[in-house]
Amino acid sequence: PTDKLVDPGLLKSVSVLTGPLASLEHGSGIAGGTVAMRTIDGADLTGDTPGMRFRQLLGASSNGRGWVTSSTFAWQPSRRVDFLLNHTRRARDEPKDGAGVATGAVGFNVPSILFKARLRLDDAHSLTFSLDRSTSAERDVPYGQSTGTATFGNVNRDRQGTVGALAWNWDPAGNDLIDMELRASRSRQRIDVTAIDPGSFAARLWAGLYDLEQDRVTLKNTARFDTGPVRHTLRAGLDWSQQEKTMLRAPATNTTPSGKL
């Protein structure tokens, strides 16, 4: 589980992809697969007509005195240009268990900001710039995220990350064989891992503070076609990425050194 909030109103589509090949398309490579979420553009909120729109989400929870707010502003100055800005913040104090006893879980206050700008060059070509700065707080979760088991010990994991991306899309009307995207992105994450149990593997080997930087360029095309009554979707592309990890603070017995991947 994660305490990072995703406002459902920001999602244009959600795809559940199973298997390592499907997840590699989005950079994770986890054997079980991944969940890919695509956010809306400003024109989706304005109804693709020039103007401005504002939407506000408010929520609260009684356990841990939690609250959440999500503010979304969209501006479309012309038919071909649109902007989207979202600010989300979620906070919670120490929660209690079913018997009303404090659990000892550390509280959090995590903001996130998303900015998108899109220029439609014509009916088939568009350029989209996005900047996502987010924070998340995971409390008492397994260190091994891909396995979901506590074999290595449970941890508190705090993330701060920034992702900037520029994408070019070519999607000609009436041609289902071409839906091409060229995307270049750069991300930086700072991850602080604190072990719940001081004697666990996580405490002795992996707890610490890390910087992760990744550069990635992808080119992919989605073709859709029919063979009789069967509908097919074929995705093909190229992917280049480089990741560099720097340990800022770690146990002396850490077995995962800094370096490039």
Side-chain angles (χ1 to χ4, degrees), residues 101-119:
V101 179
T103 62
V106 181
F108 55 83
N109 189 323
V110 288
S112 299
I113 297 175
L114 171 66
F115 172 74
K116 293 182 73 176
R118 183 176 62 160
L119 170 63

Side-chain angles (χ1 to χ4, degrees), residues 100-183:
V101 179
T103 62
V106 181
F108 55 83
N109 189 323
V110 288
S112 299
I113 297 175
L114 171 66
F115 172 74
K116 293 182 73 176
R118 183 176 62 160
L119 170 63
R120 284 176 279 187
L121 304 173
D122 53 35
D123 292 338
H125 299 82
S126 65
L127 289 173
T128 303
F129 170 76
S130 63
L131 182 65
D132 181 11
R133 181 170 178 81
S134 63
T135 56
S136 66
E138 298 172 292
R139 296 293 178 254
D140 200 5
V141 297
Y143 175 83
Q145 292 176 291
S146 61
T147 62
T149 65
T151 304
F152 303 112
N154 278 18
V155 299
N156 292 333
R157 184 184 292 108
D158 294 284
R159 299 177 185 264
Q160 291 183 341
T162 301
V163 181
L166 180 63
W168 164 77
N169 182 255
W170 178 29
D171 186 12
N175 190 341
D176 290 342
L177 296 179
I178 298 177
D179 184 357
M180 186 175 295
E181 181 186 71
L182 175 62
R183 177 184 176 89

